[in-house]
Amino acid sequence: MSATRCGLSALPVLPGEVVLEAAREVRHRGGGGSVRGTLLCTNVRVAFVPGAQPPSFSPFLQSDYSVALRCIRTLVAASSFTKPTVLTASSTLTFIPEELAVFCQDFRLLRFHFPENGLGLQAFRVANAIAEARETATWPGDSRSHVDATMGDDEEEGSPPTLLFESLQDWERELQRLGAVGWRVSAVNERFDMAASLPRYLWVPSTLLDHDLKRTFAHFQERRVARLCWHHPNGSDLLRAAGFHAASEPGSEDIRCLEVLLGAGCRPCVLADTAELPSPPDIQLAHLRLQALCLPGAAADEKWLSALEGTRWLEHVRACLRKAVEVASLLAGKWCSVVLQEPSDRDLSCLLASLVQLLADPHARTLHGFQSLVQREWVAAGHPFPQRLGLCRDSPREESPVFLLFLDCTWQLLRQFPAAFGFTEAYLLALHDSTFLPYCSTFLFSCQRQRGRGGVQQPRTQTYTPVSGRWDPSPGSSTCRLPPVWAWGLHYSRQQQARFWNPAWDAGPVGTPDAVDPQNKGTPASAWSGSSSGAVLSLSKGSLTPQPFPWRSGRLPPRLLRWAPSLETLSDRGGDRIPTPPRGLLLPCAAGPSVRLWRRCYLRGLPEAQHGRLAPCPALLVEELALLQDRLCAWQQDRAHAEPASSPLAPSRQRCVAAIGGACRGPRHPGDVAVCRGAGVIATEGEGCTEGRSLPDAA
């Protein structure tokens, strides 16, 4: 049965997709009311086609009404005469369902009500078809077919491209933007013969030849060698690597190459492991508990808030934010080389490296900069998306939504610093739900090598530039090409995409590092009292301690035994654990009340709170409207009493969002800058906070 035979030409059918069953006159019940349409079950997804659609909008995927079969967590059939029944491929449906509830992995709840007008047989068939198709669901990429994704609108033409980091040009372009002098792009792994899970191209020191670089791969687990992932304008470098191989016994020449690679020969090298962060099994357990807590009925429990803390999900978010603040502060306050180490280098290193760049690099907080960040630190770096997101049924023990935890951390930053990001919560919600879509190539593979040998081949032109919403792969290839998830025009209308961009965004310096404050040069290496420029240190719980290389043979150099400073000494102000933040550096508050539940994401399955991903509920709209009115009144009062712009006494006009909204109270000190730890923002002109501290204007 095809969509055309069903009279459903409004549903774009994917290559290899077949409609198995359909039921007409079905009502979809959600937070926006009841919509009448046709419910279809295909071999790929469950789709609902509304009866009345705007003639100007025909999306490739009506995501609010559709769900991939592999993304269905629970399927429940209900009737007025029997108890609700959970449907599986082996279960037998013994009644005509009146309602079908589809619980999704992305916390959505789709409710479909069948009419009592003689169409009960259709309801029975479509419910059984969905239950059976879940077990045999296929991805479009499993068959080498081509997706002609040329419909829908996208971002405005001329917007900067999203780098996919599949080509040498993308790596060189990003390295040039960072201004990382002393680093180069190496093609030593272009054929994936050095490390199968690493990308084709790596950023390595210019002084290290590929011949010497090959010596270092064997000394890291899974041969995931240390390589640059970000460069700070003050000269500090952020690297990431797998754990040192336990059986490694490098010779003197190998040790020399390793020290050059880690930057330990010319400046302090700090090893920051992920032992303080939650493990993938801990993240999976917390996510399962959170899913159970956000089910209808569970939220009515009077001990719901206590149960929320019991899931430990927010605790994991706090731990990730604290660790990211430590690393970002260290990079901004010292001239050093920080190496993020994880045994596999494919999970928490991705999360930590991304968060550090969000805190320290304004370019990463733009929409296209954020998408390029995900492509480089997650997709190209080899994060196993299919296993971690549960898209592979053969590896349930490997499930762990590390990427979803990263999106939650990003939302926490967005909530605390609303004007520092070029995208909105609607964008994060769209990306959160797109991780479960089988129609895009971004999250279907575990590494670049698998992507090239699997059912989906990426085009050789490895930047996605929106041109009238079309995904134009390179011609001359017969392999399957699914578009990346960044082709938003395939899923959303132009009006919906307009909500992805933050109108209150304060762009600031988001270009090359030259655009950053030239006076912010950081602290030179000579400021590291008690340690030489070649010391190797370990960052743990905010303190730095000497850390020798874990080679089984070889004598430790004397310089490794010297005392190393802690994070307290990184600040010019005695007693402060966190140094004075340079311009562009975000220092969020990770205290208990400051980290909140992402309600618009996790509570969408509740009937009273369910709403579309792109529209808030009425209560939140009222809250936002009141906040905007308070800000408008404050701005109008300030403008009425402001001094002329030409006056030399007119202070700067940086605003504290929390203060304008009435959440920040404190003494007024004109000309000072106050860090509001409770709101995670910076205020000027006396909009201080009792929990804050005064800092010079240069901060």
Side-chain angles (χ1 to χ4, degrees):
M1 182 185 300
S2 65
T4 303
R5 290 178 56 186
C6 293
L8 303 171
S9 57
L11 177 68
V13 181
L14 297 168
E17 185 179 14
V18 179
V19 177
L20 304 178
E21 289 291 344
R24 300 178 184 274
E25 301 298 322
V26 179
R27 286 191 174 273
H28 173 270
R29 294 182 175 179
S34 178
V35 179
R36 186 185 298 273
T38 302
L39 178 64
L40 299 97
C41 173
T42 75
N43 59 332
V44 176
R45 54 178 166 163
V46 174
F48 179 79
V49 180
Q53 289 184 331
S56 59
F57 175 46
S58 178
F60 181 74
L61 173 65
Q62 188 71 296
S63 55
D64 282 341
Y65 299 139
S66 302
V67 58
L69 288 174
R70 291 192 179 183
C71 303
I72 297 177
R73 180 159 48 94
T74 308
L75 183 66
V76 179
S79 174
S80 303
F81 306 100
T82 60
K83 295 181 179 179
T85 302
V86 178
L87 300 182
T88 63
S90 58
S91 62
T92 302
L93 187 60
T94 59
F95 59 91
I96 301 296
E98 298 178 3
E99 186 177 13
L100 195 64
V102 182
F103 295 87
C104 309
Q105 296 282 5
D106 56 8
F107 290 87
R108 286 185 299 155
L109 172 59
L110 305 181
R111 293 177 177 270
F112 302 104
H113 180 74
F114 301 100
E116 300 178 0
N117 55 357
L119 299 179
L121 184 59
Q122 292 187 10
F124 182 84
R125 288 178 176 176
V126 74
N128 280 326
I130 296 175
E132 295 176 1
R134 288 179 57 199
E135 303 297 330
T136 59
T138 59
W139 295 104
D142 294 343
S143 58
R144 291 179 172 268
S145 55
H146 175 72
V147 176
D148 185 16
T150 58
M151 61 194 72
D153 296 324
D154 212 310
E155 295 89 348
E156 298 181 358
E157 295 186 16
S159 57
T162 296
L163 303 180
L164 301 185
F165 292 97
E166 290 279 353
S167 68
L168 180 65
Q169 290 75 17
D170 286 356
W171 291 92
E172 290 178 342
R173 182 185 304 180
E174 182 67 8
L175 189 64
Q176 182 180 6
R177 185 194 70 83
L178 293 174
V181 179
W183 296 87
R184 66 179 179 89
V185 181
S186 172
V188 67
N189 195 45
E190 190 170 18
R191 298 182 178 180
F192 305 106
D193 52 350
M194 300 305 300
S197 60
L198 283 180
R200 290 186 177 91
Y201 307 102
L202 309 172
W203 288 334
V204 299
S206 301
T207 57
L208 192 63
L209 302 178
D210 285 350
H211 174 74
D212 296 330
L213 179 62
K214 293 180 179 179
R215 292 175 171 268
T216 63
F217 282 86
H219 304 301
F220 294 89
Q221 297 184 26
E222 299 185 22
R223 300 179 64 87
R224 294 181 62 89
V225 72
R227 70 274 183 200
L228 177 72
C229 63
W230 186 67
H231 174 78
H232 195 279
N234 69 355
S236 298
D237 294 318
L238 179 66
L239 294 82
R240 54 182 295 185
F244 294 117
H245 204 287
S248 174
E249 295 186 6
S252 58
E253 185 63 20
D254 292 351
I255 292 179
R256 182 192 67 82
C257 296
L258 285 168
E259 289 187 347
V260 173
L261 182 64
L262 298 176
C266 58
R267 55 183 169 177
C269 174
V270 180
L271 303 180
D273 58 35
T274 58
E276 302 171 26
L277 301 182
S279 63
D282 293 337
I283 297 175
Q284 170 67 1
L285 179 60
H287 193 258
L288 291 176
R289 291 174 176 173
L290 183 64
Q291 285 182 332
L293 189 64
C294 295
L295 291 175
D301 190 353
E302 58 182 7
K303 298 182 179 179
W304 190 85
L305 292 178
S306 300
L308 176 61
E309 286 297 327
T311 65
R312 303 191 65 185
W313 179 260
L314 297 182
E315 179 182 340
H316 297 339
V317 173
R318 298 186 191 103
C320 295
L321 292 177
R322 283 194 296 264
K323 190 67 175 182
V325 167
E326 289 182 1
V327 176
S329 302
L330 183 61
L331 288 169
K334 286 295 183 178
W335 183 63
C336 61
S337 174
V338 179
V339 183
L340 304 179
Q341 274 200 307
E342 182 189 12
S344 65
D345 184 39
R346 303 183 68 178
D347 291 301
L348 298 176
S349 288
C350 301
L351 184 149
L352 189 56
S354 301
L355 285 181
V356 170
Q357 295 178 58
L358 283 178
L359 295 178
D361 190 355
H363 175 74
R365 300 194 287 270
T366 65
L367 190 144
H368 289 285
F370 182 80
Q371 294 179 168
S372 298
L373 174 68
V374 173
Q375 280 289 148
R376 187 178 72 251
E377 299 299 341
W378 293 85
V379 181
H383 178 67
F385 283 105
Q387 291 79 14
R388 292 304 187 220
L389 295 176
L391 305 181
C392 296
R393 298 289 177 85
D394 56 345
S395 56
R397 295 185 178 181
E398 298 182 12
E399 291 186 28
S400 180
V402 182
F403 183 71
L404 303 185
L405 178 63
F406 163 69
L407 294 182
D408 196 319
C409 294
T410 304
W411 177 81
Q412 303 290 341
L413 298 177
L414 178 63
R415 189 188 63 82
Q416 295 192 26
F417 303 93
F421 289 82
F423 50 86
T424 62
E425 181 184 24
Y427 170 79
L428 289 179
L429 282 170
L431 181 57
H432 177 278
D433 296 350
S434 298
T435 56
F436 299 98
L437 295 182
Y439 323 110
C440 302
S441 62
T442 305
F443 306 116
L444 291 185
F445 301 98
S446 299
C447 59
Q448 286 187 353
R449 180 174 181 268
Q450 187 187 77
R451 186 182 308 273
R453 295 188 177 185
V456 177
Q457 288 284 351
Q458 286 289 339
R460 299 305 299 173
T461 302
Q462 298 303 336
T463 57
Y464 170 64
T465 305
V467 180
S468 302
R470 302 173 68 93
W471 168 247
D472 295 325
S474 59
S477 177
S478 60
T479 55
C480 169
R481 299 190 191 97
L482 290 178
V485 71
W486 320 121
W488 297 113
L490 308 180
H491 318 293
Y492 301 98
S493 66
R494 185 176 295 273
Q495 292 75 17
Q496 289 173 317
Q497 292 178 73
R499 302 178 185 178
F500 291 175
W501 302 85
N502 184 8
W505 172 44
D506 182 11
V510 297
T512 61
D514 296 336
V516 184
D517 185 6
Q519 301 300 325
N520 177 29
K521 297 297 183 180
T523 306
S526 57
W528 291 71
S529 58
S531 62
S532 64
S533 60
V536 179
L537 311 169
S538 176
L539 174 62
S540 177
K541 297 182 180 180
S543 299
L544 295 169
T545 56
Q547 173 66 46
F549 283 124
W551 314 133
R552 295 199 306 175
S553 61
R555 300 175 59 184
L556 295 177
R559 55 182 168 86
L560 297 179
L561 302 179
R562 298 183 181 179
W563 174 84
S566 63
L567 275 184
E568 286 84 346
T569 64
L570 299 181
S571 175
D572 295 332
R573 298 170 55 88
D576 294 335
R577 290 187 58 83
I578 299 178
T580 299
R583 175 180 294 183
L585 177 63
L586 305 181
L587 296 180
C589 180
S594 299
V595 176
R596 301 181 182 178
L597 180 69
W598 191 1
R599 298 179 62 88
R600 294 189 187 177
C601 179
Y602 302 136
L603 298 183
R604 287 178 293 171
L606 303 181
E608 64 276 8
Q610 187 175 10
H611 43 75
R613 285 178 289 175
L614 302 176
C617 64
L620 292 178
L621 276 177
V622 173
E623 179 182 346
E624 290 180 357
L625 181 60
L627 178 61
L628 291 175
Q629 290 175 341
D630 292 342
R631 294 182 186 177
L632 182 60
C633 293
W635 286 335
Q636 291 175 345
Q637 294 176 1
D638 289 347
R639 186 174 182 179
H641 300 86
E643 299 181 25
S646 58
S647 173
L649 300 178
S652 60
R653 292 289 176 185
Q654 300 178 1
R655 286 296 168 197
C656 174
V657 176
I660 296 175
C664 184
R665 295 289 184 267
R668 295 182 175 269
H669 303 285
D672 287 351
V673 179
V675 176
C676 176
R677 294 186 181 275
V681 294
I682 297 178
T684 59
E685 300 184 275
E687 296 165 338
C689 175
T690 56
E691 299 179 2
R693 53 188 175 90
S694 296
L695 300 175
D697 288 329

